[in-house]
Amino acid sequence: MPLDFSVVLGYWPVLLKGLALTLAFTGVCAVLGSLLGFAVSMLRQVKLKLVRLPLTLYVEFFRGTPLLIQLFWVFFCFPVVFRLDIPPYVSVLIALTLYMGAITSETFRGALKSIASEQHDACTALGLTSKVKVLYVIFPQALLRAVPPLLSNVVSLFKESALISSVGVADLMFVGQNISNSTARPVEFLSAVAVIYFLVAFPLTRLVGVVEGRLLRRYAY
């Protein structure tokens, strides 16, 4: 069968709908995972081993195992372990958020270490509470320092999110596979899916360099 990429045009609305779902999962899990990662990075600085050890195990487990295994484990094992009926969309949200939380916790941990000790001493001298110190002094500086690697993490999450098609969620990859199977034109549709992923991811990777070069070098340090 000769290649005919014009057949892709008739399926653009469906592909874009799948892309919208992919972007929605990426955006929500990036925000939730980043907040989780910051909380984990702060708690891992606590001297109490009872707090640090479980969090360290969580981070190392999710950083050291494939995301596909994590998706399958949450999708198949969570309902059995917790005796709950968890929809596929919720399973994906849980798995991607936990994965994002683990990798961003290391990003924030590095950013927190870069904050000078004088900042902590100044907060103590001013009599600021721990909550005020974290929210208004530590978090803004850590976030600014962590922006480039956080954006890189978001790009990675966007690309890794293609794996959620394996648990039956109708994202861009799932839609592209279904259409290619039903039309018997895998080259045209899988190529189109690859191009769409590239068109979204490439500008984000360029944005990382722009932010780091023009903003962080001027304001963060």
Side-chain angles (χ1 to χ4, degrees):
M1 184 182 295
L3 296 179
D4 182 14
F5 285 93
S6 64
V7 299
V8 177
L9 298 177
Y11 292 88
W12 270 115
V14 183
L15 292 171
L16 291 179
K17 186 176 179 180
L19 175 61
L21 187 61
T22 297
L23 292 174
F25 273 116
T26 302
V28 172
C29 294
V31 173
L32 295 178
S34 296
L35 294 175
L36 175 62
F38 180 75
V40 170
S41 65
M42 290 293 295
L43 290 172
R44 288 183 70 188
Q45 297 185 66
V46 175
K47 295 182 179 180
L48 189 61
K49 287 187 178 181
L50 191 61
V51 175
R52 285 191 294 110
L53 183 58
L55 292 176
T56 301
L57 291 174
Y58 151 67
V59 171
E60 296 304 325
F61 176 81
F62 277 88
R63 290 178 66 230
T65 56
L67 178 58
L68 183 60
I69 298 297
Q70 298 166 18
L71 282 166
F72 280 168
W73 199 91
V74 173
F75 182 77
F76 291 109
C77 299
F78 261 39
V80 176
V81 173
F82 297 103
R83 300 181 182 275
L84 295 173
D85 185 15
I86 303 177
Y89 288 87
V90 177
S91 298
V92 168
L93 283 173
I94 293 172
L96 292 185
T97 299
L98 291 174
Y99 169 76
M100 189 67 175
I103 61 176
T104 56
S105 69
E106 290 297 288
T107 299
F108 278 116
R109 192 161 69 95
L112 289 170
K113 286 186 175 181
S114 69
I115 298 175
S117 59
E118 289 81 2
Q119 298 285 331
H120 298 274
D121 296 337
C123 292
T124 302
L126 292 172
L128 301 180
T129 64
S130 297
K131 180 180 179 180
V132 172
K133 171 185 170 182
V134 170
L135 290 179
Y136 297 103
V137 180
I138 303 302
F139 179 72
Q141 294 185 69
L143 180 62
L144 192 59
R145 286 166 165 80
V147 164
L150 281 177
L151 289 176
S152 297
N153 291 340
V154 172
V155 175
S156 298
L157 181 67
F158 171 71
K159 293 185 292 185
E160 294 285 356
S161 68
L163 294 173
I164 69 178
S165 62
S166 60
V167 294
V169 175
D171 69 326
L172 176 59
M173 188 64 196
F174 183 88
V175 171
Q177 285 180 318
N178 278 357
I179 297 175
S180 67
N181 291 336
S182 62
T183 59
R185 290 188 175 273
V187 175
E188 290 90 337
F189 285 98
L190 294 182
S191 298
V193 169
V195 169
I196 294 172
Y197 274 107
F198 176 78
L199 291 176
V200 175
F202 181 74
L204 290 177
T205 58
R206 296 300 90 196
L207 180 62
V208 174
V210 172
V211 170
E212 184 175 17
R214 296 185 181 182
L215 296 178
L216 295 187
R217 291 176 185 175
R218 182 179 301 177
Y219 299 115
Y221 301 99

